[in-house]
Structures are given as C-alpha cells and as structure tokens.
Amino acid sequence: MGRPVAVFIYITLALLLLLVLRGHHSPGSRNLHHRRLKLRSNFSFPSPTPSGDHRIPFDPLIADIELRREDREWERSHFEIPSAPGEVAQPEWEDFADAEDYINDEERFNVTGRMFLLFPRIDVAPADGFVSLEELTEWNLQQAAKEVMHRTARELEAHDKNRDGFVSFAEYEPPSWSRNDNTTFGYEMGWWKEEHFNASDLDGDGLLNKTEFNDFLHPADSSNPKLMKWLCKEEIRERDKDKDGRLNFQEYFNGLFDSLRNVEEASNHLANSDEARANILFQKLDKDNDGFLTEDELMPVIGNLHPSERFYAKQQADYVLSQADADKDGRLSLSEMIEHPYVFYSAIFNEDDDDFDFHDEFR
C-alpha cells in the first residue's frame, strides 16, 4: 500500500476518534471506561516449567508499570530488603496507589486515546485500517518477548556472580523450592542440571550469554536445535518406565497422549476410542515402524508438549477477535477496538465489578 493511501486511512481514523471521544463525553453517553482498572497486586516469578502464567499485557504502558512494580517485589523477595527501623510494612499495592490513580484518570490515561495510539502500531502488515488475527498475534508476541527478556536480564544479573555478563554452570543456582522438593516437576528430570545448561550453550564456550540464558529459562521458545533435542530427551526420560531410552506404546499412551489430543492425527473422530486415536498418532510418529518412539521421532510434536509464547499469543488474539469483532469479518477496526476496551484491558480491570472473567477463557 502506498504512503498517500496509508496517510488517508489514518486521517480518517483520526476524525473517527474525535467523533468517538465527543460521543463518550456527551450527556447521556455510555462510558466505556465503566470499571476501575487495577494493577496486578502480586506476582509468581516465572520458572522454566510449563506451569507459568502466560497472560500477555496488551498495552506497553501498563506492561512497563507492572514490570517496574514486579522488579521491586522481586528485589524484596530475592535480596530480603528489610524495612526501615520503626517502619510499618505496607501492602505492596500501597506503594503504587499513584500508578492506579494514573491509569484511572481519563485525563492522563484515556483508554480510547490509547487504542487510537496503539492501533497504527499493530496495523502494519499491511497498514490497511484493520487489525488482522496475524497482526494481533505478532503484537502479542512482541509484548511477551519484551517481558520475558526483561525478566531474563534480571535473573542473569542475580546469577552472574563475577559480573562478566555471562552465567557459568558453577554460578547458576536452581530455584530454592526445587532444591527443597526433589519431587517437583523438572527436578527428577534434567531441568536446571548440567545437561540442560550445556544444551543451552549454543556456542559451546561454557558460558551462557543473555540469549542463551533466556533459552535456558524458556526452552520452548528457543530455536537452538540442541535444546529442542534435550527437551525431547527429557520427555522420554520422565516417562520411560523400563529405562531403555525410548517409549513403547503404553509409555506414550499413559504419559504423553493427554498433551497431544489436539494434534490432527490424534483428533481423528473416526477412531472409536482414545487408545485408537493415540495409536494413529503413534504410528505417524514412529518413522522406522519399530514400535518405539525415540528423541528424534518426538521432535514433530515437541511444540505441543511445550507450547511456545507464539502459541499463547495466538490463543489470546483468537479470544480477543472473537469478543471484539462485532461485524464478524475476521478483523478489527479502530471503532471495534474502542467499543470493546474490556477485552484488551481485561487483565487489569477490577473483575469484582463484573461477572466477566477473562482468565476463565484460558483454564
């Protein structure tokens, strides 16, 4: 699309925004910002297991506020920063009353205005005046990547004892809860151990740089083939009851199939039982037809066993589109986004004021 056409589109959108804003502030108009926005009041710091929280903030401004808040909570928990003598400890949200006041002050944080500012940043492929599922997925993925890399940098700084910008295996300390509970997911496998570390060390220098350390913490999002193979090996190791280094059908059916039900071959409705559906996929994966699955044969479905951020970014985009696409044309206009702000800001709306719970959609 030529630049003049794109300019025309956004001039039109600007005029639309003015009309919308006037409508929202006119007497008797419906106030879209009808629920109080709340920042998340607590955080569970992510671990490299499949059980993390994958909600993605839509608005970078909100994400920045929450990350700064998270950083302070992380510093307090990690470094055990004491309160000043005589100081009464306050709930964490008290420290951020000004931030919550800010995002609920329409003069300073206007949700409609934010939609207008963000819309052209999302509508880029092409800039045609509509946000597609693909564009929204990419936007979500970008926001998730920023959060993940921010947390990785924070973790790297904590483990980098000699301050050289790298983490060695000797420097790395696994999560304390994993050391205290050897039955926790991942510990009996190879998570946080030397084989996991070495698989993340793409250049083989014995040290993890920021990118490699991010892969170490979040292997599902890595493009490192060594790490992908390590994930496959760990899946087999955890479920390999007879310890022969491969999975027979029963080991696969009892241990893996529940996570693979959405794979096309496993959702064959012509099969009349779970075991029959599982067998269809097993035969598809068993390339050498020897009746066992090896590390290499698990590679095609490792993304199903360990979903990446892209999976969650699309899942969230699918949900948003289903809720905000009023005319059901498979894309979002600016007016549709403005008319459905709760869908985009649902992670921070005070859900006590409404029966709607965005998070239930992902359970």
Side-chain angles (χ1 to χ4, degrees):
M1 175 179 293
R3 182 178 177 82
V5 176
V7 170
F8 172 78
I9 288 173
Y10 285 109
I11 289 175
T12 303
L13 292 175
L15 293 173
L16 174 62
L17 175 67
L18 290 175
L19 292 173
V20 170
L21 287 174
R22 288 184 64 185
H24 288 174
H25 291 285
S26 63
S29 67
R30 181 172 63 90
N31 184 5
L32 292 178
H33 197 169
H34 63 286
R35 289 180 288 181
R36 180 171 174 81
L37 300 176
K38 285 182 67 68
L39 296 170
R40 285 173 289 180
S41 60
N42 55 70
F43 301 90
S44 56
F45 300 113
S47 64
T49 71
S51 58
D53 186 344
H54 296 280
R55 288 169 291 181
I56 301 169
F58 168 76
D59 191 327
L61 183 55
I62 295 293
D64 181 64
I65 292 172
E66 291 196 326
L67 278 176
R68 282 185 285 150
R69 175 182 199 165
E70 182 182 309
D71 284 344
R72 291 181 61 179
E73 290 195 16
W74 183 87
E75 288 170 2
R76 290 179 180 180
S77 64
H78 190 83
F79 297 108
E80 298 182 354
I81 300 173
S83 301
E87 179 183 357
V88 178
Q90 296 293 323
E92 183 62 12
W93 64 267
E94 290 281 357
D95 295 341
F96 292 87
D98 289 344
E100 288 198 353
D101 288 343
Y102 169 77
I103 63 174
N104 284 281
D105 183 341
E106 290 195 4
E107 295 299 320
R108 294 188 291 172
F109 186 86
N110 183 279
V111 172
T112 300
R114 291 299 298 168
M115 289 293 181
F116 176 71
L117 291 173
L118 294 175
F119 188 88
R121 295 173 58 182
I122 306 171
D123 175 29
V124 294
D128 59 357
F130 295 94
V131 169
S132 65
L133 174 64
E134 292 75 18
E135 288 171 327
L136 190 54
T137 298
E138 287 300 319
W139 174 260
N140 289 341
L141 191 59
Q142 291 170 23
Q143 306 320 303
K146 290 175 186 176
E147 281 207 336
V148 168
M149 288 305 293
H150 178 92
R151 291 169 180 147
T152 293
R154 187 177 65 199
E155 291 290 334
L156 189 147
E157 183 179 357
H159 292 283
D160 179 18
K161 303 297 192 297
N162 63 3
R163 299 293 182 262
D164 64 351
F166 301 90
V167 174
S168 66
F169 183 69
E171 288 176 312
Y172 181 71
E173 297 178 8
S176 59
W177 52 264
S178 73
R179 298 194 299 271
N180 297 333
D181 179 8
N182 289 357
T183 64
T184 300
F185 172 85
Y187 194 83
E188 289 185 333
M189 296 165 64
W191 292 83
W192 310 295
K193 296 182 181 178
E194 192 163 9
E195 189 176 359
H196 177 188
F197 185 95
N198 292 338
S200 307
D201 182 15
L202 186 60
D203 58 16
D205 65 355
L207 302 169
L208 300 186
N209 58 32
K210 184 178 177 181
T211 300
E212 292 169 332
F213 191 57
N214 188 65
D215 286 351
F216 176 74
L217 296 178
H218 309 281
D221 293 299
S222 175
S223 58
N224 175 354
K226 289 197 303 181
L227 200 50
M228 292 297 99
K229 188 162 186 176
W230 171 81
L231 274 178
C232 293
K233 184 175 182 179
E234 292 308 306
E235 289 297 327
I236 289 178
R237 181 184 297 178
E238 185 187 19
R239 297 163 176 86
D240 180 17
K241 302 303 182 184
D242 59 12
K243 305 303 178 186
D244 65 350
R246 54 189 184 172
L247 298 182
N248 60 38
F249 178 78
Q250 284 304 317
E251 290 169 333
Y252 147 85
F253 181 61
N254 295 329
L256 283 183
F257 183 64
D258 277 347
S259 299
L260 298 175
R261 290 177 182 275
N262 291 329
V263 177
E264 182 179 354
E265 290 80 4
S267 58
N268 189 324
H269 297 294
L270 297 178
N272 58 12
S273 69
D274 279 351
E275 189 164 346
R277 283 187 283 272
N279 190 53
I280 293 172
L281 179 58
F282 186 89
Q283 292 182 30
K284 175 82 172 180
L285 295 173
D286 182 18
K287 297 297 185 184
D288 58 8
N289 297 312
D290 66 349
F292 298 93
L293 297 183
T294 63
E295 301 162 17
D296 290 336
E297 289 172 330
L298 274 187
M299 193 69 75
V301 292
I302 195 63
N304 300 87
L305 298 171
H306 294 271
S308 67
E309 286 293 349
R310 179 171 290 280
F311 171 85
Y312 295 107
K314 183 180 183 300
Q315 184 184 59
Q316 189 160 313
D318 281 332
Y319 173 76
V320 167
L321 197 67
S322 73
Q323 297 297 304
D325 181 18
D327 61 9
K328 304 304 178 186
D329 64 350
R331 56 187 185 175
L332 297 177
S333 64
L334 175 59
S335 62
E336 286 174 324
M337 291 177 66
I338 290 172
E339 290 295 318
H340 299 86
Y342 61 89
V343 178
F344 299 91
Y345 287 91
S346 56
I348 57 171
F349 269 122
N350 183 355
E351 292 164 357
D352 293 338
D353 296 339
D354 198 284
D355 291 335
F356 171 82
D357 188 345
F358 170 80
H359 309 317
D360 283 342
E361 298 296 324
F362 294 94
R363 291 178 184 143

